Amino acid sequence: MRAGIHPEYYETRAQCACGASWTTRSTRKELHLEICSSCHPFFTGRQKLIDTEGRVERFTKKYGKVTVAERRKQQRPRRGQARA
């Protein structure tokens, strides 16, 4: 490796906004994160849904909870098929 072209590599403490922290190595002396694996919805399985304009309620009001079987009953018959 060439001398003088590589950045310093520090042992740092990474801190998330949720309060989780751990030690790692980085070129920065401090790491402040907004989201980590202990609070991210993909890893935790919990989804935070922020609905400020009522979009979800409007969607469920308009379409409701329709199952696949109910949807098939509501569909028009295809060309060449008779209604049951």
Side-chain angles (χ1 to χ4, degrees), residues 14-22 33-44:
Q15 271 189 311
C16 179
C18 72
S21 62
W22 60 94
L33 309 169
E34 293 179 18
I35 197 160
C36 67
S37 62
S38 61
C39 62
H40 193 280
F42 180 78
F43 298 110
T44 60

Side-chain angles (χ1 to χ4, degrees), residues 29-61:
K29 291 186 179 184
E30 293 181 7
L31 290 174
H32 296 282
L33 309 169
E34 293 179 18
I35 197 160
C36 67
S37 62
S38 61
C39 62
H40 193 280
F42 180 78
F43 298 110
T44 60
R46 288 179 280 139
Q47 186 173 1
K48 298 176 186 173
L49 184 62
I50 301 171
D51 184 22
T52 57
E53 297 178 9
R55 293 181 185 154
V56 174
E57 286 81 17
R58 270 188 298 169
F59 181 84
T60 54
K61 182 179 174 185

Side-chain angles (χ1 to χ4, degrees), residues 48-80:
K48 298 176 186 173
L49 184 62
I50 301 171
D51 184 22
T52 57
E53 297 178 9
R55 293 181 185 154
V56 174
E57 286 81 17
R58 270 188 298 169
F59 181 84
T60 54
K61 182 179 174 185
K62 185 175 182 179
Y63 296 105
K65 291 185 178 181
V66 179
T67 63
V68 175
E70 291 172 353
R71 176 70 67 191
R72 287 185 182 148
K73 288 179 185 178
Q74 294 173 356
Q75 287 180 345
R76 295 187 332 195
R78 294 184 184 174
R79 190 180 276 177

